[in-house]
Amino acid sequence: VQLQASGGGWVQAGGSLRLSCAASGRIYGVTAMGWYRQAPGKQRELVASITRADTTNYGDSVKGRFTISRDNAENTVFLQMDSLKPEDTAVYYCNANIRSSLMTPSYNIFWGQGTRVTVSS
């Protein structure tokens, strides 16, 4: 299983970016998907998560500015980031809880490689 994140880049404060993360490989089920971020010198933190039933959860610092969504048919999760601030600068990582084997009903967390977002003031 691989998660491929894309959409990062450079933007001025107040601008927008849209991140995408597609899961591929042997996938027999996907439950929660989400985005985390890690700024230089800081711990990785939750940005947003979404269940298969579209129940969402957001970190306090992004509520009202970011929107998470998903396409279950494509095993893809999106993060629409609006009103970006310099403090949103970080490497953004996607993850997903995936069943990757028919031999066991268990699910495991898989991570994408990260995409860098830079917001200038």
Side-chain angles (χ1 to χ4, degrees):
V1 174
Q2 289 187 330
L3 271 66
Q4 182 68 45
S6 61
W10 178 91
V11 65
Q12 287 189 324
S16 298
L17 284 174
R18 181 175 172 86
L19 305 183
S20 299
C21 176
S24 61
R26 293 186 177 182
I27 297 173
Y28 301 102
V30 183
T31 57
M33 305 182 80
W35 291 94
Y36 285 72
R37 68 186 181 186
Q38 188 165 19
K42 295 187 177 181
Q43 290 188 332
R44 190 174 296 191
E45 64 174 357
L46 171 71
V47 176
S49 65
I50 184 168
T51 67
R52 189 169 182 84
D54 287 341
T55 299
T56 58
N57 181 47
Y58 294 93
D60 288 342
S61 63
V62 307
K63 285 180 180 177
R65 300 187 297 122
F66 291 9
T67 303
I68 190 171
S69 60
R70 62 189 285 172
D71 181 334
N72 291 329
E74 299 294 331
N75 293 323
T76 300
V77 63
F78 306 96
L79 186 68
Q80 177 66 40
M81 305 186 294
D82 299 317
S83 302
L84 282 160
K85 304 176 181 180
E87 50 264 44
D88 294 317
T89 295
V91 177
Y92 285 69
Y93 299 90
C94 58
N95 75 357
N97 195 30
I98 295 174
R99 180 184 179 186
S100 58
S101 172
L102 286 176
M103 302 301 292
T104 170
S106 64
Y107 284 69
N108 295 286
I109 299 291
F110 292 85
W111 289 88
Q113 84 285 5
T115 183
R116 186 174 299 276
V117 172
T118 303
V119 184
S120 65
S121 57

